[in-house]
Amino acid sequence: MHQQHPDPSRGAVSKALVLVLAVLALGAGGGAWWWFGHRGAHEHGGTAAGEQVLYTCGMHPWILSDRPGDCPVCGMKLTRIDQTAPPEEAAEDDDFFAELEGREASGPPQGYAAVNLGHQAVRLAGIQTVPVERRAGGRSIRAVGLVAPDETRVRHVHTKIDGWVETLHVNFTGQAVKKGQPVLSVYSPELLATQEEYLRARATAEKFRESPLPEVRQSGESLAALARKRLELFDVPAAFLAEIEKTGEARRTVTLAAPVSGFVTAKEVVEGLRIEPGMDLYTVTDLSRVWVEVDVYEYEAQAVALGQVARVTLPYDPSLSLSGRVAYVYPYLNPETRTLRVRLEFPNAELRLKPGMYADVTLEVDLGETLTVPDSAVLDTGTRQIAFVEVGKGRFEPRQVKLGARSSGTAQVLSGLQEGEAVVVRANFLLDSESRLRAAIQGMTGGHQH
């Protein structure tokens, strides 16, 4: 029988194939350059005489070679990787992994592993850290507002009698009116008859005043007062009543006055129109004070409260900046836009805020003293948020964190970090790739890769 010997060339090819696949996988992860250098150093026992020395490109750190030369990508000269670590640093490495093994219950998040880098690898990766700080925090909610009339300052002008419009004194939408100003003259047979009834009652009361009986005098005065009251209930102006009392003659038409000052925002009447009781003739709106209504997204609604400070600017006039407070928070959401409406109130004596205008609104939210980190310190995977903390020289531990409000490039930390810890803000994508890779290797080998 012939004994089959393994083909050395085939074994070499298989090893080369595995090496190529590993390089591709590690290169895609962004952390391959360090892993090969670190593993090679451990496998060959450092850079002592007779042991392998690795070279890399400063611009393309995934390029590795066991001999000096030029980078095949950019042509730069390859530099030697210093794989020797001081004895005390190696001892710290052992302590570091021993520490990790001793606290498996509170170790890295699932799918991640701690990363230990040498000084050269940290420098090449450009890793930077900043401390987690506790400071007075706040955030801004930015939204678009719409200027609207103050609903408490809107009045409808209508009549309580039948008749016909003889003359319009206010005859176009947008016209300014003042309280007591004539708006239209109406001919009403009912109103004419009531005037005549009032004049007769006055004449009767004058005759009854000469009676020696108090009851007779009082009845005459009561009849006149009742007739006058009826005219007042028809909204006949006091000046009109004074005029017919002076002349003693009924007027064919009665002129009605504006009940409030403001602007005509709706007009439903023309000359010659027959009118009926309750019919809307005009809408007069006082714009000396207006609302700015803001729609806030549902996830921001809990941060809005009465009295909250708000700043308003107008796109058409950036120089105008108004400061106000939240006057009302509506108790329901818009089911179509999933937004909560918030109302601000502003004086508008100069009429710079006109209904229908858009406004840029910023609501200030005070968070008090809180832990904060830069936004760049946190990697959001979609299901969780990860930050890398430097727990020793060149040692980085992944942490799952929970963030709160974000504002001006910073994020509020609710859990996962402590004040003063050094969190990575630059090159953390490389650490993320390396950490995932180490976790995958540990899963395959069943232990830490030293």
Side-chain angles (χ1 to χ4, degrees), residues 39 58 78-79 84 95 149 161 192-193 198 209 214 219 228 241 250 265 288 292-293 299 305 321 338 362 380 418:
R39 292 284 295 166
L78 298 180
T79 58
T84 59
D95 294 340
I161 56 175
L192 181 60
Y198 172 53
R209 286 194 183 98
S219 64
R228 180 184 174 88
L241 292 175
T265 53
S288 61
V292 176
E293 295 185 326
Y299 73 93
S321 179
R338 308 304 302 170
T362 303
D380 199 328
Q418 301 295 327

Side-chain angles (χ1 to χ4, degrees), residues 64 130 187 202 218 224 332 337 339 405:
L64 294 171
V130 297
Y187 164 67
R202 279 177 55 83
Q218 185 176 1
Y332 52 84
T337 60
T339 55

Side-chain angles (χ1 to χ4, degrees), residues 287-290 322-323 345-350 353:
L287 298 178
S288 61
R289 189 172 187 84
V290 295
L322 303 175
S323 179
E345 296 181 1
F346 293 95
N348 192 36
E350 298 180 359
L353 297 175

Side-chain angles (χ1 to χ4, degrees), residues 124-203:
L124 288 174
I127 296 174
Q128 292 183 0
T129 62
V130 297
V132 180
E133 297 180 342
R134 181 178 297 276
R135 59 185 180 181
R139 62 173 295 198
S140 298
I141 299 176
R142 300 189 62 184
V144 176
L146 186 67
V147 180
D150 184 340
E151 293 178 2
T152 65
R153 296 170 180 258
V154 179
R155 283 289 300 270
H156 291 284
V157 178
H158 53 80
T159 180
K160 300 175 181 177
I161 56 175
D162 287 313
W164 287 262
V165 177
E166 291 278 322
T167 306
L168 286 180
H169 302 286
V170 175
N171 51 18
F172 63 89
T173 304
Q175 185 172 352
V177 296
K178 293 183 178 181
K179 184 177 181 179
Q181 175 183 336
V183 292
L184 77 167
S185 298
V186 178
Y187 164 67
S188 170
E190 181 182 7
L191 201 55
L192 181 60
T194 305
Q195 293 179 64
E196 293 174 347
E197 178 184 347
Y198 172 53
L199 293 176
R200 287 194 297 269
R202 279 177 55 83

Side-chain angles (χ1 to χ4, degrees), residues 35-258:
W35 188 81
F36 270 105
H38 186 76
R39 292 284 295 166
H42 279 280
E43 290 174 359
H44 295 283
T47 58
E51 296 180 350
Q52 186 180 17
V53 176
L54 295 179
Y55 297 84
T56 186
C57 173
M59 295 295 294
H60 305 89
W62 58 87
I63 301 297
L64 294 171
S65 175
D66 58 356
R67 64 192 65 184
D70 297 331
C71 174
V73 178
C74 63
M76 289 181 59
K77 185 177 179 61
L78 298 180
T79 58
R80 177 174 168 173
I81 298 178
D82 183 7
Q83 300 179 77
T84 59
E88 63 274 10
E89 186 171 322
E92 289 176 357
D93 291 348
D94 295 337
D95 294 340
F96 171 70
F97 285 111
E99 180 184 352
L100 287 178
E101 293 170 352
R103 52 172 184 171
E104 292 179 357
S106 60
Q110 183 177 4
Y112 285 84
V115 178
N116 188 32
L117 303 180
H119 173 74
Q120 180 77 357
V122 172
R123 183 183 65 82
L124 288 174
I127 296 174
Q128 292 183 0
T129 62
V130 297
V132 180
E133 297 180 342
R134 181 178 297 276
R135 59 185 180 181
R139 62 173 295 198
S140 298
I141 299 176
R142 300 189 62 184
V144 176
L146 186 67
V147 180
D150 184 340
E151 293 178 2
T152 65
R153 296 170 180 258
V154 179
R155 283 289 300 270
H156 291 284
V157 178
H158 53 80
T159 180
K160 300 175 181 177
I161 56 175
D162 287 313
W164 287 262
V165 177
E166 291 278 322
T167 306
L168 286 180
H169 302 286
V170 175
N171 51 18
F172 63 89
T173 304
Q175 185 172 352
V177 296
K178 293 183 178 181
K179 184 177 181 179
Q181 175 183 336
V183 292
L184 77 167
S185 298
V186 178
Y187 164 67
S188 170
E190 181 182 7
L191 201 55
L192 181 60
T194 305
Q195 293 179 64
E196 293 174 347
E197 178 184 347
Y198 172 53
L199 293 176
R200 287 194 297 269
R202 279 177 55 83
T204 302
E206 287 291 335
K207 293 180 181 179
F208 285 0
R209 286 194 183 98
E210 299 176 359
S211 174
L213 300 176
E215 295 83 358
V216 174
R217 294 195 300 270
Q218 185 176 1
S219 64
E221 293 175 357
S222 297
L223 288 173
L226 289 173
R228 180 184 174 88
K229 186 66 175 179
R230 187 179 181 188
L231 287 173
E232 292 175 348
L233 294 175
F234 283 147
D235 291 336
V236 174
F240 180 85
L241 292 175
E243 184 178 352
I244 64 174
E245 289 172 354
K246 180 179 179 180
T247 61
E249 297 180 358
R251 297 284 301 271
R252 180 177 180 277
T253 61
V254 175
T255 300
L256 303 182

Side-chain angles (χ1 to χ4, degrees), residues 366-380:
D366 184 10
L367 301 176
E369 289 287 331
T370 182
L371 292 178
T372 59
V373 294
D375 279 335
S376 59
V378 181
L379 302 176
D380 199 328

Side-chain angles (χ1 to χ4, degrees), residues 228-345:
R228 180 184 174 88
K229 186 66 175 179
R230 187 179 181 188
L231 287 173
E232 292 175 348
L233 294 175
F234 283 147
D235 291 336
V236 174
F240 180 85
L241 292 175
E243 184 178 352
I244 64 174
E245 289 172 354
K246 180 179 179 180
T247 61
E249 297 180 358
R251 297 284 301 271
R252 180 177 180 277
T253 61
V254 175
T255 300
L256 303 182
V260 294
S261 299
F263 294 85
V264 177
T265 53
K267 172 178 169 290
E268 306 293 340
V269 62
V270 294
E271 290 186 356
L273 181 70
R274 186 180 186 277
I275 58 177
E276 299 176 350
M279 179 178 176
D280 286 336
L281 307 179
Y282 299 96
T283 300
V284 179
T285 305
D286 180 6
L287 298 178
S288 61
R289 189 172 187 84
V290 295
W291 293 350
V292 176
E293 295 185 326
V294 186
D295 289 330
V296 178
Y297 288 114
E298 185 176 1
Y299 73 93
E300 297 175 322
Q302 63 178 356
V304 179
L306 288 175
Q308 194 168 5
V309 177
R311 297 194 310 272
V312 174
T313 58
L314 301 179
Y316 84 96
D317 185 6
S319 64
L320 178 62
S321 179
L322 303 175
S323 179
R325 293 185 178 274
V326 174
Y328 187 73
V329 179
Y330 287 78
Y332 52 84
L333 286 178
N334 185 324
E336 297 179 356
T337 60
R338 308 304 302 170
T339 55
L340 177 70
R341 179 156 292 184
V342 177
R343 189 175 76 210
L344 314 174
E345 296 181 1

